Amino acid sequence: MCSFTVPPAVLQLFLLLFLASPATACTEQEKRNLLQFLAGLSSDGGLATSWCNNGADCCEWEGISCNGDGAVTGVSLESKGLEGPISPFLTNLTSLLHINLSHNSLSGGLPAELMFSRSIIVLDVSFSRLNGPLPELPSLVTTDRPLQVLNISSNQFGSEFPSATWKVMKNLIALNTSNNSFSGHIPSSLCVSSPSLALLDLSYNQLSGDIPNTLGNCSKLKVLKAGNNHLSGILPVEIFHATSLEYLSFPNNGGLQGELDGAHIVKLSSLLILDLGGNSFSGAIPESIGQLRRLEELHLGSNNMSGELPSTMSNCTNLKTIDLKINNLTGDLGKVNFATLQNLKSLDLMENNLGGIVPESIYSCSNLTALRLSANHFHGEISSRIGNLKHLSFLSISRNSFTNITKALHALKSCRNISTLLIGRNFMNEAMPQDESIDGFQNLQFLAMHQCSLTGRIPTWLSKLTRLKVLVLSKNQLTGPMPSWINSLNNLFHLDVSNNSLSGKIPVTLMEMAMLKLDKPAIYLDPSLVDLDLLIYAVDASKLQYRINSDWCKVLNLGNNKFTGVIPQEIGQLKALLYLNLSSNNFYGEIPQSIGNLTNLQRLDLSNNHLTGEIPAALEILHFLSEFNISNNDLEGPIPTTGQLSTFQASSFNGNPKLCGPMLINHCSSVEAAPISIVSAKKCSSKVIFVTAFGVFFGVGVLYDQLVLFRYFG
Ligand SMILES: *[C@@H]1O[C@H](CO)[C@@H](O)[C@H](O)[C@H]1NC(C)=O
Ligand SMILES: *[C@@H]1O[C@H](CO)[C@@H](O)[C@H](O)[C@H]1NC(C)=O
Ligand SMILES: *[C@@H]1O[C@H](CO)[C@@H](O)[C@H](O)[C@H]1NC(C)=O
Ligand SMILES: *[C@@H]1O[C@H](CO)[C@@H](O)[C@H](O)[C@H]1NC(C)=O
Ligand SMILES: *[C@@H]1O[C@H](CO)[C@@H](O)[C@H](O)[C@H]1NC(C)=O
Ligand SMILES: *[C@@H]1O[C@H](CO)[C@@H](O)[C@H](O)[C@H]1NC(C)=O
Ligand SMILES: *[C@@H]1O[C@H](CO)[C@@H](O)[C@H](O)[C@H]1NC(C)=O
Ligand SMILES: *[C@@H]1O[C@H](CO)[C@@H](O)[C@H](O)[C@H]1NC(C)=O
Ligand SMILES: *[C@@H]1O[C@H](CO)[C@@H](O)[C@H](O)[C@H]1NC(C)=O
Ligand SMILES: *[C@@H]1O[C@H](CO)[C@@H](O)[C@H](O)[C@H]1NC(C)=O
Ligand SMILES: *[C@@H]1O[C@H](CO)[C@@H](O)[C@H](O)[C@H]1NC(C)=O
Ligand SMILES: *[C@@H]1O[C@H](CO)[C@@H](O)[C@H](O)[C@H]1NC(C)=O
């Protein structure tokens, strides 16, 4: 480091520069303090070298700014790869006004000398690895401190949220402590002691208790965020005295309750964003919401709201996002005139008790990109005007009572941008449209038409949807063969046609599906998909498992149909498969040895067929197998006593009278007890739930578990 082991040549250069420097050159004292700060770090990310190269005047050093007297006033060392503790020597820089050390890997605590400095106005240490409690007010500090901006967000601070500290922070304007692990209560003194507070972000911590009513004394407060904590109780009426509020956000606290009082809420006439989702609020959405003319985002999803959608909502013409999913809203949606909501991009009404037909006015919201009406009581036809929604990328109408699938698909094919289309559990007992003129859908990646009892064959128009990744046609009454063009869908990696009446032999082309042949344990979604923030859930009874952005279920589910023939050897080519279900068909012949090549397999179901012969020894090497079922076939011989198969219960093997093994009544004559090896593996259920595109469509900062797209998929 420069000051300690400076080679003579460099020293000369330093002196030269020092002498050549103008009068504002930094003082030796200041320089020493900066070098002490540097010396305190465990890794400086090359800063020492940079400072060295910048000469002797520390006012010229990277990230350092000075005043006219050569005193350091600013230290801006964000994203410099700094590691280790923040040396208290920084506080010896007595003219320091601004410190920005954000986006580093600093560790240890925040020195009290910095927080209670007599000079510092802005202190930003966000996005680092600082930990420990936040310094409490030292008894020596009695006078007000100049600190205006304190950003300690996205660190690892913990313990009780300090309360006394704020007593001397009369000048505080912005306080962001989000994304740490603070516990305790929101201090009630906050706005009383810091009357200038305009931004307060306490979200993503472990705060509990009530929302203090003194927050209403923050007359300057514009942004108040305390979501993703464990707060409980009601929104105190005093909070509506903070009439400067533009952003009021308490999502995902779970326990917040009470009704939204219309008379109070109108006082917040500057409100742009209201986010109370993921709580226990009840009662109706107040009529007066229509007076919040500036409102852009309304998030009341996952509460216990009831009553009708107020028609006054159409007065909130700036609305971009409406999220009312998972509530108990009732009535006819037709009462709201959506035509005035020309800025609307995302409308989410999933899981309510709304009914009636979808109002035509929705189709004039030409900027709509995401529309989710699933799990309500809507009926009628999808208007051909839906084709006007050129930006529509996500549509879910699952679990309603819509009719006329032919009309719906003809209308939707004009939505050029549609990538996700979930229409299952509607159109009961209609005929699967076979019409070749169904084209378009050039961007469709996810298509679910399950549980509609649709009749007819798997239609050929599907073969043109070459970007399709997920195709779900389960629980219909489809007949005819598995089409041989199936491998032309070369992006497809999840095919579920279970619970139909499909027949014939399975085509060899099914064993040629490009995405299932890739020998990769997980498909990492390409950037365009990551963009959509796609998620998949596997639901296993009450158990939810997340597969976020990476581990998509590669599934081939032909279960419960009338397929026949032998299982082709070539099935061993589908190495990417995690779940293979051929159960409840009429397959006969032997289980191909090559299934042992499907080494990623987690679930294998061949039950209820007419399979014969012995269990191939090759299956023993399927180490990830956590579910296995070959029951009700005509298999014979011993169950392997080593490897993964030996860990399954009798129920996996029952109904094969000629099979023997230690777990069956039918013990083999000369086999020893099997060594048990248990390999735990994640399950990959066929019952997938797509939790799709919320980053883009369904708004900001919502937790994954709030975003179940359709819960009872399949
Ligand atoms: C600088 O700070 C250190 C640590 O806080 C302290 O021990 C030292 O006395 C200070 N030096 C001066 C000259 O203020
Ligand atoms: C600190 O630096 C980061 C990165 O340049 C910047 O985004 C942030 O706004 C700065 N903080 C303050 C308080 O200006
Ligand atoms: C920290 O918070 C302040 C005040 O809101 C803000 O100006 C600054 O940009 C934030 N820093 C980063 C790195 O985002
Ligand atoms: C607080 O900081 C986090 C990052 O740590 C940021 O995402 C958030 O937007 C900030 N809050 C406000 C209100 O600016
Ligand atoms: C929370 O902090 C971690 C660690 O700094 C960071 O990776 C993450 O992005 C932050 N989350 C948010 C919501 O800002
Ligand atoms: C806080 O606001 C309430 C009215 O909401 C007022 O009665 C009280 O005096 C205020 N407290 C302080 C300390 O300003
Ligand atoms: C939901 O709201 C209804 C009335 O609107 C109320 O009777 C019920 O207790 C609430 N349920 C919960 C869990 O808060
Ligand atoms: C607000 O909405 C209501 C109901 O839709 C309507 O009668 C009223 O005229 C609207 N007010 C204004 C000012 O547009
Ligand atoms: C939803 O509201 C209806 C009628 O208002 C009521 O019968 C039903 O119990 C409510 N459901 C829940 C889950 O609160
Ligand atoms: C639709 O969105 C675009 C930008 O996304 C915007 O320029 C345009 O004004 C919006 N249209 C309407 C009718 O609001
Ligand atoms: C479905 O809609 C089309 C087009 O509007 C119409 O021709 C057809 O008769 C409708 N089918 C049924 C069953 O209503
Ligand atoms: C697949 O399985 C067959 C039969 O067990 C075996 O002969 C073949 O070598 C395997 N192929 C690969 C690529 O592992």
Side-chain angles (χ1 to χ4, degrees):
M1 227 162 275
C2 298
S3 65
F4 309 123
T5 54
V6 194
V10 179
L11 191 64
Q12 268 176 16
L13 188 69
F14 262 49
L15 282 172
L16 214 89
L17 285 165
F18 191 55
L19 292 172
S21 299
T24 61
C26 81
T27 65
E28 277 304 316
Q29 181 71 46
E30 298 283 89
K31 187 155 77 179
R32 210 167 19 243
N33 284 325
L34 283 173
L35 291 171
Q36 292 279 14
F37 161 70
L38 200 60
L41 299 169
S42 59
S43 171
D44 68 13
L47 194 59
T49 316
S50 157
W51 282 2
C52 241
N53 294 339
N54 275 343
D57 181 2
C58 73
C59 295
E60 300 290 317
W61 288 356
E62 181 182 2
I64 305 302
S65 41
C66 296
N67 62 16
D69 302 328
V72 174
T73 56
V75 174
S76 301
L77 296 171
E78 59 270 15
S79 305
K80 290 284 184 282
L82 309 182
E83 291 174 27
I86 302 176
S87 155
F89 274 97
L90 263 191
T91 46
N92 292 10
L93 300 162
T94 50
S95 300
L96 200 53
L97 301 173
H98 298 261
I99 300 185
N100 194 340
L101 297 172
S102 63
H103 294 283
N104 283 295
S105 301
L106 298 164
S107 51
L110 182 65
E113 297 91 330
L114 286 186
M115 259 192 76
F116 299 103
S117 149
R118 289 177 190 278
S119 65
I120 294 170
I121 294 171
V122 175
L123 179 53
D124 187 347
V125 293
S126 59
F127 294 98
S128 226
R129 293 189 198 144
L130 297 168
N131 52 36
L134 203 58
E136 264 294 359
L137 187 66
S139 53
L140 290 172
V141 177
T142 51
T143 55
D144 291 339
R145 299 289 127 150
L147 194 63
Q148 293 178 5
V149 173
L150 178 61
N151 192 343
I152 60 165
S153 65
S154 294
N155 277 284
Q156 294 156 17
F157 289 108
S159 298
E160 193 89 357
F161 195 81
S163 56
T165 294
W166 316 109
K167 286 193 181 128
V168 293
M169 300 296 179
K170 199 161 213 86
N171 298 294
L172 206 58
I173 294 170
L175 174 60
N176 191 342
T177 69
S178 71
N179 198 11
N180 281 288
S181 300
F182 288 112
S183 57
H185 295 189
I186 300 178
S188 58
S189 60
L190 213 47
C191 280
V192 180
S193 48
S194 311
S196 306
L197 205 60
L199 182 154
L200 177 60
D201 191 344
L202 306 169
S203 48
Y204 293 99
N205 279 289
Q206 271 120 49
L207 299 170
S208 56
D210 292 343
I211 300 170
N213 54 15
T214 48
L215 283 181
N217 290 66
C218 299
S219 59
K220 301 272 168 57
L221 201 60
K222 285 193 154 94
V223 179
L224 173 56
K225 295 174 71 178
N228 296 283
N229 281 290
H230 311 300
L231 301 171
S232 53
I234 58 161
L235 281 185
V237 291
E238 288 84 357
I239 215 162
F240 300 101
H241 299 167
T243 51
S244 303
L245 274 175
E246 295 175 358
Y247 196 142
L248 179 60
S249 160
F250 286 98
N252 305 315
N253 276 290
L256 292 174
Q257 51 174 294
E259 299 200 1
L260 297 182
D261 187 318
H264 287 126
I265 205 144
V266 289
K267 293 185 196 150
L268 304 181
S269 58
S270 302
L271 218 50
L272 300 173
I273 297 176
L274 178 62
D275 186 353
L276 302 174
N279 282 295
S280 305
F281 289 105
S282 55
I285 301 172
E287 290 278 332
S288 63
I289 199 126
Q291 292 174 46
L292 302 179
R293 292 304 169 84
R294 298 183 65 195
L295 200 62
E296 293 180 2
E297 294 183 20
L298 176 63
H299 301 268
L300 296 172
S302 302
N303 278 292
N304 181 25
M305 306 292 294
S306 53
E308 303 199 346
L309 275 188
S311 59
T312 52
M313 203 175 256
S314 49
N315 291 345
C316 305
T317 53
N318 287 306
L319 274 172
K320 291 183 178 135
T321 304
I322 301 177
D323 171 10
L324 303 172
K325 65 171 176 285
I326 317 179
N327 276 294
N328 197 6
L329 300 170
T330 49
D332 189 337
L333 196 60
K335 284 182 65 184
V336 183
N337 179 12
F338 288 90
T340 56
L341 306 183
Q342 282 299 304
N343 291 298
L344 199 61
K345 281 183 130 72
S346 165
L347 175 61
D348 190 356
L349 301 172
M350 175 179 80
E351 277 193 53
N352 277 288
N353 282 319
L354 296 163
I357 59 168
V358 176
E360 287 281 315
S361 62
I362 279 190
Y363 306 123
S364 51
C365 300
S366 54
N367 269 355
L368 207 58
T369 57
L371 177 58
R372 183 155 67 174
L373 303 173
S374 48
N376 279 289
H377 306 297
F378 294 115
H379 60 87
E381 299 183 349
I382 296 293
S383 164
S384 54
R385 286 187 65 204
I386 203 168
N388 296 348
L389 303 179
K390 298 295 179 209
H391 296 282
L392 194 66
S393 169
F394 179 102
L395 176 68
S396 175
I397 58 169
S398 307
R399 297 166 61 203
N400 281 290
S401 303
F402 289 106
T403 50
N404 204 340
I405 191 173
T406 307
K407 185 175 178 187
L409 289 172
H410 275 287
L412 284 163
K413 69 184 187 184
S414 307
C415 300
R416 244 180 281 113
N417 277 304
I418 204 151
S419 69
T420 303
L421 181 57
L422 313 173
I423 63 175
R425 287 178 76 174
N426 287 291
F427 314 112
M428 291 311 286
N429 299 302
E430 294 188 17
M432 172 67 90
Q434 302 291 337
D435 189 348
E436 281 300 313
S437 71
I438 296 179
D439 51 13
F441 292 119
Q442 54 272 67
N443 287 307
L444 199 60
Q445 299 183 22
F446 300 82
L447 176 59
M449 299 195 279
H450 58 291
Q451 259 177 297
C452 302
S453 295
L454 299 175
T455 56
R457 306 173 138 229
I458 296 179
T460 340
W461 56 265
L462 284 175
S463 67
K464 289 180 278 185
L465 312 186
T466 51
R467 299 193 66 183
L468 214 54
K469 293 182 156 73
V470 177
L471 176 59
V472 182
L473 299 172
S474 55
K475 297 193 182 167
N476 284 297
Q477 295 172 18
L478 299 173
T479 49
M482 169 63 73
S484 59
W485 49 253
I486 193 72
N487 63 331
S488 66
L489 301 179
N490 54 17
N491 287 300
L492 197 67
F493 59 79
H494 184 119
L495 176 61
D496 186 351
V497 296
S498 62
N499 296 292
N500 280 288
S501 298
L502 299 167
S503 57
K505 295 185 176 175
I506 49 181
V508 284
T509 48
L510 191 61
M511 307 299 140
E512 300 290 336
M513 288 180 41
M515 291 309 280
L516 293 180
K517 284 171 79 175
L518 291 174
D519 189 15
K520 278 196 259 168
I523 291 179
Y524 290 94
L525 297 180
D526 63 35
S528 65
L529 282 176
V530 173
D531 215 36
L532 292 176
D533 216 351
L534 285 161
L535 287 187
I536 198 168
Y537 268 34
V539 184
D540 212 0
S542 60
K543 194 171 62 195
L544 289 178
Q545 267 175 339
Y546 299 8
R547 303 186 170 272
I548 300 166
N549 273 347
S550 57
D551 201 3
W552 276 76
C553 280
K554 273 130 287 170
V555 166
L556 181 58
N557 190 347
L558 310 181
N560 205 11
N561 277 287
K562 294 175 175 161
F563 289 116
T564 183
V566 295
I567 302 173
Q569 272 294 335
E570 291 80 5
I571 200 140
Q573 291 169 187
L574 304 181
K575 289 189 166 43
L577 273 183
L578 300 184
Y579 176 34
L580 175 63
N581 186 347
L582 303 176
S583 69
S584 300
N585 279 288
N586 296 316
F587 291 113
Y588 53 80
E590 301 200 345
I591 300 175
Q593 287 281 347
S594 64
I595 285 190
N597 292 359
L598 305 181
T599 47
N600 294 310
L601 218 51
Q602 296 174 10
R603 299 176 64 198
L604 175 61
D605 193 346
L606 305 174
S607 64
N608 297 299
N609 280 292
H610 311 294
L611 300 171
T612 51
E614 300 203 347
I615 299 174
L619 296 195
E620 285 181 53
I621 59 170
L622 298 178
H623 296 300
F624 295 117
L625 215 53
S626 60
E627 273 182 53
F628 176 69
N629 195 347
I630 53 168
S631 63
N632 301 312
N633 278 289
D634 205 12
L635 296 161
E636 60 190 69
I639 294 165
T641 52
T642 57
Q644 192 68 5
L645 295 194
S646 63
T647 66
F648 294 102
Q649 308 284 321
S651 54
S652 295
F653 306 96
N654 281 338
N656 291 282
K658 285 176 272 178
L659 216 50
C660 67
M663 65 286 275
L664 299 179
I665 302 167
N666 187 12
H667 285 262
C668 307
S669 40
S670 60
V671 179
E672 310 109 68
I676 308 285
S677 64
I678 295 168
V679 180
S680 68
K682 290 181 225 159
K683 280 187 192 143
C684 176
S685 173
S686 65
K687 295 178 183 171
V688 277
I689 288 179
F690 305 107
V691 177
T692 308
F694 52 87
V696 175
F697 304 140
F698 289 118
V700 269
V702 204
L703 271 188
Y704 298 135
D705 58 2
Q706 296 299 319
L707 284 146
V708 183
L709 258 197
F710 37 53
R711 277 202 184 152
Y712 310 109
F713 186 89

